[in-house]
Amino acid sequence: MSSAEAAKFTENSERSAETPILDQRIYEGLAGMRLAMRRFLSFSETALSAARVTSQQYQALLVIKVGTMITMGTLAEQMLLQHNGAVQLVDRLASAGLAQRIPSVEDKRSVFITLTSEGKTLVEALAKVHLEGMLANEPLLAESLTMLRSLALLG
């Protein structure tokens, strides 16, 4: 959290001390949401560890898969990284044989990032596993979201 975000959070927290107490069901809905997300993230970390990739590398594989051939700048933007962080991430993916750089024909300064066949196979396998994991957590997530939406409409 940046210092500006922390200051805004503190300001909002001080302001919220003056507001009425929230309905208990809002806390229950938020707790249910966080539980569903934590269960999924725990599941995801286990699956990624077994595949010997980090969460950040998997996210990058997904971004590259969606974009097919993307620039380093686009990857950095999608991953919320500085340009040099994206370069290091692509270096690790390339060293693992999962991604490759393709120089731009039009602009010699630009490089496109694409998945190798091994990267495509891995991201497909991981996506299938993650979809199953998400669907397993769907009931709690949907119930919590529905509760929060209905309470937000009342307030």
Side-chain angles (χ1 to χ4, degrees):
M1 182 181 301
S2 72
S3 59
E5 291 170 325
K8 187 170 184 99
F9 178 77
T10 302
E11 179 183 315
N12 289 339
S13 295
E14 290 169 358
R15 220 183 286 143
S16 67
E18 303 163 4
T19 59
I21 296 173
L22 296 175
D23 185 302
Q24 180 65 24
R25 294 171 297 173
I26 290 177
Y27 298 109
E28 293 168 6
L30 291 171
M33 288 279 309
R34 291 197 55 83
L35 176 59
M37 290 188 299
R38 289 182 59 81
R39 283 179 180 168
F40 173 74
L41 289 175
S42 175
F43 163 85
S44 176
E45 290 300 324
T46 300
L48 295 174
S49 179
R52 295 189 177 101
V53 295
T54 66
S55 180
Q56 186 181 51
Q57 288 170 331
Y58 175 56
Q59 180 65 37
L61 293 172
L62 288 171
V63 169
I64 297 166
K65 175 70 175 172
V66 168
T68 309
M69 285 182 54
I70 63 170
T71 64
M72 195 68 73
T74 300
L75 180 64
E77 180 182 306
Q78 292 289 313
M79 297 289 297
L80 304 176
L81 295 172
Q82 296 295 321
H83 187 271
N84 63 332
V87 169
Q88 292 172 358
L89 178 56
V90 171
D91 286 345
R92 291 190 298 275
L93 291 172
S95 292
L98 302 174
Q100 60 187 353
R101 291 177 170 88
I102 300 173
S104 171
V105 176
E106 296 150 6
D107 181 359
K108 298 298 178 193
R109 297 170 296 165
S110 293
V111 174
F112 292 103
I113 313 303
T114 189
L115 297 177
T116 62
S117 59
E118 186 179 339
K120 289 175 186 175
T121 301
L122 179 63
V123 76
E124 185 171 331
L126 287 171
K128 286 177 183 176
V129 168
H130 278 79
L131 180 58
E132 291 171 12
M134 276 193 220
L135 293 176
N137 287 287
E138 181 184 21
L140 177 58
L141 189 60
E143 178 185 324
S144 299
L145 279 171
T146 300
M147 179 190 305
L148 289 169
R149 182 175 288 118
S150 68
L151 291 170
L153 293 174
L154 294 176

